[in-house]
Amino acid sequence: EPEVTQTPSHQVTQMGQEVILRCVPISNHLYFYWYRQILGQKVEFLVSFYNNEISEKSEIFDDQFSVERPDGSNFTLKIRSTKLEDSAMYFCASRPGQRNEKLFFGSGTQLSVL
Amino acid sequence: LAKTTQPISMDSYEGQEVNITCSHNNIATNDYITWYQQFPSQGPRFIIQGYKTKVTNEVASLFIPADRKSSTLSLPRVSLSDTAVYYCLVGDNFNKFYFGSGTKLNVKP
């Protein structure tokens, strides 16, 4: 089965630094998502992206966050001026495009802000 | 957005059938019901989706009563490897899928 690929698997950064988390969605998919999961908590929606623009975003996705699809394959999440509470597992997901099709998730990037 | 309620945790033994029920009293006409499975340190994985009555695939069945205010995920003959968190999602806006707190299933030998 095709996979969503995320890099790096682990990222350690200092508070206040900027990080970019990278994702390669499945090649023919049209909708892309970022979720995060703080240790021991539920999976939280951050943002969805379609046709080179944000479709929906949650209240978590403030000005500190941005997403980009810089080329035909990558989908990135940038976190500016990281805070301790940004430490979490970040999941990228994609889906083909039909209305009720399932999400395919990557294995995640574990971000640790020190 | 329909809110979902699931048991926080469940225990079972290998070989048993496990039924996890999700309540979604405010489900809307166009909403679908989708279940995901998540292992520790991995992304959620799609299990099954349905709109009404019964859906079955190679790993699970989904039972949805006529009023659609609840749904039950049925896992036949669970094994230790089915120990995971199971999430019920309800909605029709596929631009933003919200996960609830999930049910932590613990399968014992």
Side-chain angles (χ1 to χ4, degrees), chain B residues 25-57:
Chain B
N25 291 318
N26 297 323
I27 191 168
T29 303
N30 295 328
D31 286 348
Y32 281 79
I33 301 158
T34 312
W35 286 80
Y36 284 81
Q37 174 193 56
Q38 186 183 28
F39 297 113
S41 299
Q42 293 187 28
R45 187 173 70 100
F46 173 87
I47 301 175
I48 199 166
Q49 182 182 77
Y51 183 79
K52 61 181 180 180
T53 62
K54 177 184 175 182
V55 179
T56 298
N57 63 21

Side-chain angles (χ1 to χ4, degrees), chain A residues 9-113:
Chain A
S9 57
H10 293 84
Q11 174 91 46
V12 180
T13 190
Q14 297 291 323
M15 191 169 54
Q17 295 297 305
E18 175 182 286
V19 295
I20 297 177
L21 309 183
R22 303 181 190 281
C23 170
V24 179
I26 295 171
S27 63
N28 62 342
H29 286 192
L30 300 178
Y31 290 81
F32 315 113
Y33 306 79
W34 282 102
Y35 284 79
R36 78 173 186 189
Q37 187 172 32
I38 296 170
L39 184 64
Q41 298 187 23
K42 66 182 182 182
V43 179
E44 300 177 293
F45 169 77
L46 292 178
V47 66
S48 60
F49 192 87
Y50 170 73
N51 200 26
N52 286 319
E53 60 183 26
I54 291 173
S55 304
E56 300 277 355
K57 60 182 181 178
S58 71
E59 60 275 9
I60 302 170
F61 194 89
D62 58 20
D63 292 342
Q64 183 193 6
F65 296 89
S66 63
V67 290
E68 192 177 40
R69 187 157 163 82
D71 53 43
S73 60
N74 291 287
F75 179 51
T76 62
L77 174 68
K78 181 188 291 185
I79 309 175
R80 287 179 283 274
S81 188
T82 50
K83 300 174 282 192
L84 296 176
E85 54 265 39
D86 293 327
S87 295
M89 180 76 91
Y90 288 81
F91 294 108
C92 174
S94 68
R95 70 178 176 95
Q98 293 302 312
R99 189 167 174 271
N100 58 334
E101 287 183 331
K102 62 185 180 182
L103 286 176
F104 292 78
F105 282 83
S107 297
T109 294
Q110 179 63 56
L111 176 64
S112 298
V113 182

Side-chain angles (χ1 to χ4, degrees), chain A residues 99-100, chain B residues 1-2 4 24 27-28 30-34 49-51 88-94 96-98:
Chain A
R99 189 167 174 271
N100 58 334
Chain B
L1 194 68
T4 60
H24 28 81
I27 191 168
N30 295 328
D31 286 348
Y32 281 79
I33 301 158
T34 312
Q49 182 182 77
Y51 183 79
C88 162
L89 279 71
V90 174
D92 75 332
N93 184 345
F94 295 90
K96 50 178 180 180
F97 295 84
Y98 282 96

Side-chain angles (χ1 to χ4, degrees), chain B residues 44-100:
Chain B
R45 187 173 70 100
F46 173 87
I47 301 175
I48 199 166
Q49 182 182 77
Y51 183 79
K52 61 181 180 180
T53 62
K54 177 184 175 182
V55 179
T56 298
N57 63 21
E58 62 276 8
V59 297
S61 294
L62 178 60
F63 299 91
I64 305 168
D67 66 5
R68 304 199 328 122
K69 293 183 182 298
S70 66
S71 59
T72 299
L73 174 72
S74 181
L75 304 172
R77 297 180 300 282
V78 294
S79 63
L80 296 176
S81 62
D82 292 316
T83 294
V85 179
Y86 292 83
Y87 295 96
C88 162
L89 279 71
V90 174
D92 75 332
N93 184 345
F94 295 90
N95 282 326
K96 50 178 180 180
F97 295 84
Y98 282 96
F99 286 76

